[in-house]
Amino acid sequence: LVQRTADAALRTRAASVIPGGMYGHMNAAGLPEAYPQFMTRGEGSRVWDADGNEYLDFMCGWGPIVLGRKDPVVEAAVRAQLELGDLLDGPSPVMVDLAELLVELVPHADWAMLAKNGTDATTACVSIARASTGRRKVLVATGAYHGAIPWCTPRPGGVLPEDRAHLGYFDYNDVASLEAAVAEAGDDLAGIIVSPVRQELARDQEMATVEFARAIRTVCDRTGAVMILDDVRCGFRLDLGGSWEPLGVQPDLAAWSKAIANGYSLAAITGRDGLRSAASSIYVTGSFWYSAVSMAASMATLTQLRDTDALARMAASGQRLRDGLAAQSAAHGFVTTQTGPVQMPLLRFADDDAGSTLARTWTNEAVKRGVYLHPVHNWFLSAAHTSDDIDLALERTDDAFAELARLARQG
Ligand code: PMP
């Protein structure tokens, strides 16, 4: 079923010209053996690897694909902008259109800035908070991911203690630890950055409690610190106005990326009027930050999300998947947890070891059967996942559970 000839050849070539053969979140080296490293194309809810194997895609490019691959409306907008030009000597009018749209969609937003990656956006938010308050300390949740540069990268290589000298830490969903970190920062507290959902590798996801979200808002109001919501991963997948809208808690600044342009490279920072002058005082830019194609893609993505039932359909597919997986795992005698938003699922085995052996074995069997999941990182659905796709995926995951049960009996 699964051929790996082309993939193996590419891995060999990569090993001599790319450090470590691959790097970052798409490095397949740590994944179970059936996972391909290289992929060649995608369409709708499907991706194909370098050997031509087809997969039902439950990673969606690790989040950016929200409408489905090669969405016709987005692709038409991209082609139209490509005809005009992508990177000119000044920003294209679509930049203003998009900033207006973000201000329309996001309740806290009085202005928007555009960048390329989530890390650009979270880092700019931290700088804006410091520039506006004239203070240094920024609080983050222990274990939270906010990007891949020295102030926030999860790996220690190349990072100096000085890079993090003015960070403080609290535990997610723990108001007492938040208060303690705030007290320690004292009158030097510039801001608090938090993600809408606790999403860490090989750990059940945790929805934020209303109490926790409100406590962050209250602390920021009390101290004059800036509340930053890192909506890079969840943004535009759960609620177009921001992922804490259902909790009724609005930040002062938010960082966005991933789903903003259905796979084209774009990030955004939105903020309140009070932070407008601080935002214009910092110097942030990049050679590709003004590329109009991604902005045109974003207009087409966000207007479709606004004007269609795409988000509701994605939630319904996510629920169908969750219900199906829950029934299957129980039928095969496994105790599993499924946590986080249904559009961003994660299944874990209650009895798994520290190395997530059961999850790795099960997802490996799923990959062999053409369902691309991840053993320890949350998955992503898109609006292109139909109920037929979910049912086909479930047929195959049922086989994967059966195989896992068989392997477990063998010991
Ligand atoms: N914040 C969160 C919550 C993220 O999930 C990510 C990316 N996984 C980032 C920030 C960084 O985004 P990027 O990889 O686009 O720089």
Side-chain angles (χ1 to χ4, degrees):
L1 171 72
V2 183
Q3 275 237 323
R4 287 280 175 270
T5 325
D7 197 70
L10 283 163
R11 287 193 201 219
T12 303
R13 286 168 54 201
S16 67
V17 290
I18 295 174
M22 192 47 60
Y23 47 85
H25 64 292
M26 288 197 184
N27 184 356
L31 288 171
E33 41 87 17
Y35 279 79
Q37 174 66 80
F38 293 95
M39 298 222 169
T40 44
R41 67 187 184 95
E43 193 157 342
S45 58
R46 307 290 208 277
V47 284
W48 284 263
D49 70 20
D51 287 283
N53 297 300
E54 178 182 326
Y55 302 89
L56 281 156
D57 169 20
F58 288 101
M59 286 307 282
C60 291
W62 295 64
I65 306 300
V66 66
L67 289 167
R69 296 176 181 280
K70 287 171 71 178
D71 176 81
V73 178
V74 174
E75 295 309 304
V78 162
R79 278 194 302 274
Q81 186 61 51
L82 267 175
E83 278 302 308
L84 295 172
D86 184 8
L87 187 53
L88 305 170
D89 296 339
S92 297
V94 68
M95 182 170 182
V96 184
D97 298 338
L98 183 55
E100 285 173 346
L101 180 59
L102 289 166
V103 167
E104 172 203 310
L105 292 175
V106 177
H108 77 259
D110 294 311
W111 52 263
M113 295 167 81
L114 300 171
K116 283 285 107 179
N117 288 289
T119 308
D120 301 336
T122 55
T123 303
C125 287
V126 166
S127 297
I128 293 167
R130 286 175 170 154
S132 81
T133 57
R135 306 176 191 164
R136 294 179 296 178
K137 304 291 178 194
V138 173
L139 304 185
V140 301
T142 309
Y145 187 78
H146 296 297
I149 54 172
W151 78 265
C152 53
T153 181
R155 301 253 183 98
V159 177
L160 308 177
E162 289 83 349
D163 293 320
R164 298 177 183 200
H166 298 292
L167 295 186
Y169 297 90
F170 58 92
D171 294 331
Y172 201 94
N173 269 342
D174 183 337
V175 174
S177 85
L178 175 73
E179 290 287 358
V182 168
E184 192 170 332
D187 59 10
D188 206 11
L189 182 62
I192 302 176
I193 183 167
V194 65
S195 56
V197 176
R198 182 176 191 172
Q199 298 177 303
E200 294 166 31
L201 296 177
R203 191 180 196 290
D204 284 351
Q205 301 186 72
E206 254 181 71
M207 306 301 285
T209 65
V210 182
E211 186 203 9
F212 174 67
R214 284 198 189 134
I216 294 180
R217 184 65 271 169
T218 305
V219 156
C220 288
D221 292 340
R222 190 178 79 216
T223 59
V226 176
M227 177 179 163
I228 303 165
L229 190 65
D230 176 355
D231 228 335
V232 168
R233 195 179 309 186
C234 299
F236 304 122
R237 203 171 226 98
L238 309 182
D239 187 306
L240 282 190
S243 300
W244 275 0
E245 279 302 296
L247 300 185
V249 176
Q250 291 175 2
D252 302 309
L253 289 173
W256 312 83
S257 191
K258 289 204 186 275
I260 193 168
N262 202 44
Y264 289 88
S265 50
L266 195 71
I269 302 130
T270 54
R272 292 185 194 278
D273 253 333
L275 293 161
R276 199 187 282 267
S277 77
S280 62
S281 77
I282 64 167
Y283 187 73
V284 282
T285 190
S287 294
F288 300 100
W289 281 26
Y290 305 93
S291 294
V293 165
S294 297
M295 297 179 194
S298 181
M299 287 297 296
T301 303
L302 297 180
T303 50
Q304 285 193 88
L305 292 175
R306 180 191 64 192
D307 300 338
T308 71
D309 61 351
L311 289 183
R313 283 189 289 106
M314 193 185 335
S317 295
Q319 191 62 52
R320 191 178 184 92
L321 181 67
R322 182 160 299 189
D323 293 344
L325 290 175
Q328 290 179 352
S329 62
H332 289 284
F334 295 106
V335 181
T336 55
T337 57
Q338 294 189 76
T339 53
V342 291
Q343 307 89 329
M344 308 173 78
L346 178 65
L347 181 144
R348 299 182 69 247
F349 291 81
D351 309 322
D352 221 342
D353 58 18
S356 303
T357 303
L358 289 171
R360 291 169 60 86
T361 309
W362 177 68
T363 52
N364 194 46
E365 293 303 323
V367 162
K368 286 183 194 168
R369 291 161 175 79
V371 182
Y372 196 93
L373 306 168
H374 197 283
V376 295
H377 189 284
N378 73 268
W379 320 331
F380 297 89
L381 269 75
S382 80
H385 288 89
T386 63
S387 38
D388 284 352
D389 288 335
I390 301 299
D391 292 347
L392 181 58
L394 287 169
E395 268 176 40
R396 297 171 176 181
T397 55
D398 196 45
D399 281 353
F401 276 121
E403 180 62 11
L404 181 65
R406 200 186 60 78
L407 293 169
R409 277 194 304 275
Q410 279 183 353

